[in-house]
C-alpha cells in the first residue's frame, strides 16, 4: 500500500528528502518553488500540485500532476494543459492556463468547497444544496463566477489526442500515481 502526504505552507519539506518507502507522492501546497524543485529533483516522490494557481508552474518544473479543486469544472482543459506541458508546448499551455486562472482565483476567493459546488450547480452537474459546515458562495461571488464560467464556455473542448485516443469529456486521471 502506498500513501500520499501533503506539504503545506510553513512546512519545510526536509523530512521528505529521506522518504519512507511507503510514501509514493506528495501534494505540494507550500508555494515555495525552490522547495518544489528540491522535491522533484532529490526524491523519488510523485509531486502533485495542491495549489491550483501554481499548476502551470508546477507542471513546467516537472511536477507529475495535481489534486485540483478547479479541475472539476472543466477537466478536459486541465488534462489538455497537462498534455501540452508534457509535449513541450509551453506557449499554448501558458495561453490555456491564462484563460483558466480567473476562474481558479474566483473558486478560491471564498472558503472551499462552496464556490466549486456553486460552479458545478450553475453548470447543472449537481444540486445547489449544501450542509453545514459548508457555506454557500456569496451572491456577489456567484455573479462574478457566472461571468467567468461563461468565458470558459468559449474555450473549445480539448479533443482527442493521439496519445490518449479519448474524446473530449471522457474520464481520465490527471497525473495518475502508480
Amino acid at each position: 500500500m502506498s500513501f500520499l502526504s501533503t506539504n503545506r505552507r510553513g512546512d519545510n519539506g526536509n523530512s521528505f528528502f529521506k522518504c519512507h518507502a511507503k510514501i509514493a507522492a506528495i501534494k505540494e501546497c507550500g508555494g515555495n518553488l525552490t522547495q518544489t524543485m528540491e522535491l522533484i529533483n532529490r526524491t523519488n516522490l510523485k509531486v502533485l500540485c495542491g495549489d491550483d494557481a501554481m499548476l502551470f508552474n508546477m507542471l513546467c518544473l516537472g511536477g507529475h500532476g495535481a489534486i485540483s479543486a478547479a479541475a472539476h469544472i472543466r477537466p478536459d482543459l486541465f488534462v489538455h494543459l497537462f498534455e501540452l506541458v508534457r509535449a513541450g508546448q509551453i506557449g499554448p499551455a501558458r495561453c490555456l492556463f491564462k484563460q483558466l486562472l480567473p476562474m481558479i482565483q474566483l473558486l478560491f476567493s471564498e472558503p472551499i468547497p462552496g464556490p466549486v459546488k456553486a460552479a458545478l450547480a450553475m453548470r447543472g452537474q449537481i444540486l445547489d444544496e449544501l450542509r453545514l459546515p459548508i457555506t454557500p458562495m456569496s451572491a456577489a461571488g456567484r455573479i462574478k463566477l457566472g461571468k467567468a464560467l461563461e468565458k470558459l464556455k468559449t474555450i473549445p473542448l480539448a479533443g482527442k489526442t493521439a496519445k490518449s485516443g479519448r474524446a473530449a469529456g471522457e474520464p481520465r486521471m490527471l497525473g495518475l500515481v502508480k
Side-chain angles (χ1 to χ4, degrees), residues 39 49 64 75 152:
L39 287 168
C49 183
H64 299 90
L152 277 187

Side-chain angles (χ1 to χ4, degrees), residues 48 55 59 64-68 71 75 78-83 172-177:
L48 305 173
L55 180 58
L59 293 175
H64 299 90
I67 297 176
S68 168
F78 283 79
V79 170
H80 190 56
L81 175 69
F82 177 84
E83 291 173 343
R172 166 139 185 248
M173 294 295 289
L174 175 61
L176 180 67
V177 176

Side-chain angles (χ1 to χ4, degrees), residues 106 109-110 122 137-147:
L106 280 168
S109 66
E110 297 185 24
M122 287 177 194
M137 188 172 203
S138 68
R142 289 170 89 70
I143 291 168
K144 291 177 187 174
L145 184 58
K147 291 176 182 175

Side-chain angles (χ1 to χ4, degrees), residues 18-165:
K18 296 179 182 174
C19 293
H20 190 282
K22 292 194 181 221
I23 297 176
I26 184 167
K27 178 183 173 188
E28 176 59 23
C29 311
N32 181 330
L33 293 179
T34 301
Q35 179 175 300
T36 299
M37 284 301 302
E38 292 283 319
L39 287 168
I40 292 168
N41 292 329
R42 292 182 51 199
T43 72
N44 291 324
L45 294 173
K46 300 292 183 188
V47 180
L48 305 173
C49 183
D51 182 343
D52 292 24
M54 296 293 295
L55 180 58
F56 175 73
N57 296 3
M58 177 81 72
L59 293 175
C60 288
L61 291 173
H64 299 90
I67 297 176
S68 168
H72 287 83
I73 311 306
R74 283 289 306 269
D76 62 309
L77 297 177
F78 283 79
V79 170
H80 190 56
L81 175 69
F82 177 84
E83 291 173 343
L84 286 170
V85 172
R86 285 296 170 262
Q89 297 180 11
I90 303 304
R94 183 182 301 114
C95 181
L96 175 56
F97 189 72
K98 190 175 181 180
Q99 291 174 290
L100 291 169
L101 192 56
M103 184 256 319
I104 291 170
Q105 291 169 330
L106 280 168
L107 291 176
F108 290 89
S109 66
E110 297 185 24
I112 286 289
V116 173
K117 290 185 173 281
L120 292 172
M122 287 177 194
R123 294 191 53 172
Q125 293 177 275
I126 64 171
L127 295 176
D128 197 6
E129 300 174 340
L130 300 173
R131 293 185 310 221
L132 290 174
I134 299 170
T135 56
M137 188 172 203
S138 68
R142 289 170 89 70
I143 291 168
K144 291 177 187 174
L145 184 58
K147 291 176 182 175
L149 291 175
E150 285 300 315
K151 285 183 181 177
L152 277 187
K153 285 182 184 178
T154 67
I155 304 172
L157 290 175
K160 281 188 179 183
T161 63
K163 188 175 169 183
S164 72

